[in-house]
Amino acid sequence: MVRTPHGAVRGRYEHGIAVFRGIPYAAPPFGSRRFRPPEPPEPWDGVRDAGAFGPTPPKPPYSEAFARYLSDPVIAGDDCLNLNVWTPAPGPAARLPVLVWLHGGALTRGSSAVPVYDGRTFARDGVVCVSVNYRLGVEGFGLFPDAPPNPGLHDQLAALRWVHETITAFGGDPGNVTLAGQSAGAISAGALIAAPQAQGLVRRAVLQSGPPETLERDKVRRMVRRMANRLKIPATAEAFAAVDRDLLLRTQADIGRLSSPVLGGPSFGIVEDGDLVPRDPLRALADGEAARDVGLLMGWTRDEYRLWLVPGGLLDRVDRLGAVALAGAMARCHAGHEVPRRYRALHPDAGTAEIVGQMVTDHLLRIPLHRLADARPGSSYVYEFAWPSLLSGLGACHALELGFVFDTGDVPESAKLAGEGAPQELADAMHAAWVRFAATGDPGWQPWDDTRPVRIFGDGPPHIAYGPRDPEVALWSAVPTVPEPTPASDARPPGAERASAVRRLRRSVGARRR
């Protein structure tokens, strides 16, 4: 039993690790709290049972094609702003390092109940692990004229404050907290460490497959408007709150089915709000304006794009689209004809889909992380996960590394991406690097400097490669990684022809998905 600021909770010992699941860190975000910043939970009397995962936030299921590879449990209930704690030594005497985990899922899916994210291995190795649920999709990242922006990000901040105030009772050190996330979780972590309200709550951060970024407000508004048009309601929080929750989720899934990192399209995301996100977080971190003393561990997978394109046969579809797909990628990345031509020269045996996928991955993910590391030498560490899945076509795809990070290759959900028989020695090495970083700030290799060291986790022992992505990085020297907002105008904007190629690409791929 451990006492929190809102009441006592009772966990379970599992294999020598104390586990507390489903602890509320904020009140249920429904009724009058819908689309609003989180509020503290109501205190409870007695001892609250913390033996099972709490409710998951509302979310649509993955499509059948993606559900083959990704697990996403659904647990019913309104009390969905909850977290879980794994600790080897509950009680204030231990003062162990803490790792706070923010799951991925494009800010529309995922939860802390995914079996791959079992924190027992971190606790086994002396790190208190906390995993967090937060509002998703239109509930957490919709943009309305009558509600504050970014409620899902405010949820994460509330969870961080809970950790700061409470984790000592679970054996953790509030002065040694590492905030870690993958994909949308990494984007969120980047925004939080740059947020003025989060200063002093985080000592280190891990950004895996997601750079600090914000979306253009109009892109998020378009997603909300399209949902509103489909539902035949005003695009207001008040109107959305009156819609049946299941219908809202089905509409969100249908409107968002053509949005992806490769295809672009309207989507949900973090926006600049003049408060929690006063400016683009990548610029704030790269300029040294925010979180100067926060150490960074950053990484990506070699073939990120394959998870976006392999399910449903989209990889072959993009290959057949040829020039249309390349034109769409150029528009997506704000690049001219010279960029794909030079990618062809660097990778003469690559098909169109691989060129498109690597271009988009580099522009949206690797280039910003390189830029961030360049701005913070000596306190940044960079790695690449390069081990290919044992399943055909996936390669070293997005999210494959998570079973290795958590050392949970023994759970069936990890095998959905990795296949059966993934190498335990690779999990030992990658998990140990994250443990070391959370404990000491040094994952075990050379920090970033002018030689651009990247730790490669692939076949064989991990090793350092110097500037392995430098040829691709050089191709983008004249292309902005964070485009400036486009001023409102009635004139047809530059690049509109390439933008129409993106629409043709989305329509072509959408026909295949249907």
Side-chain angles (χ1 to χ4, degrees), residues 11-68:
R12 304 287 188 278
Y13 276 103
E14 299 174 4
H15 307 290
I17 301 300
V19 187
F20 302 81
R21 297 182 174 94
I23 304 173
Y25 66 84
F30 300 105
S32 62
R33 303 186 187 97
R34 195 89 174 270
F35 303 110
R36 300 289 165 180
E39 298 178 10
E42 289 292 329
W44 57 88
D45 296 324
V47 180
R48 184 185 182 109
D49 184 73
F53 286 114
T56 52
K59 57 188 175 176
Y62 281 116
S63 67
E64 183 178 347
F66 279 93
R68 290 177 52 198

Side-chain angles (χ1 to χ4, degrees), residues 254-282:
D254 190 44
I255 296 298
R257 65 188 171 81
L258 295 184
S259 296
S260 81
V262 173
L263 301 175
S267 58
F268 294 113
I270 297 165
V271 298
E272 293 182 34
D273 58 15
D275 177 29
L276 187 57
V277 189
R279 64 177 299 212
D280 180 82
L282 177 60

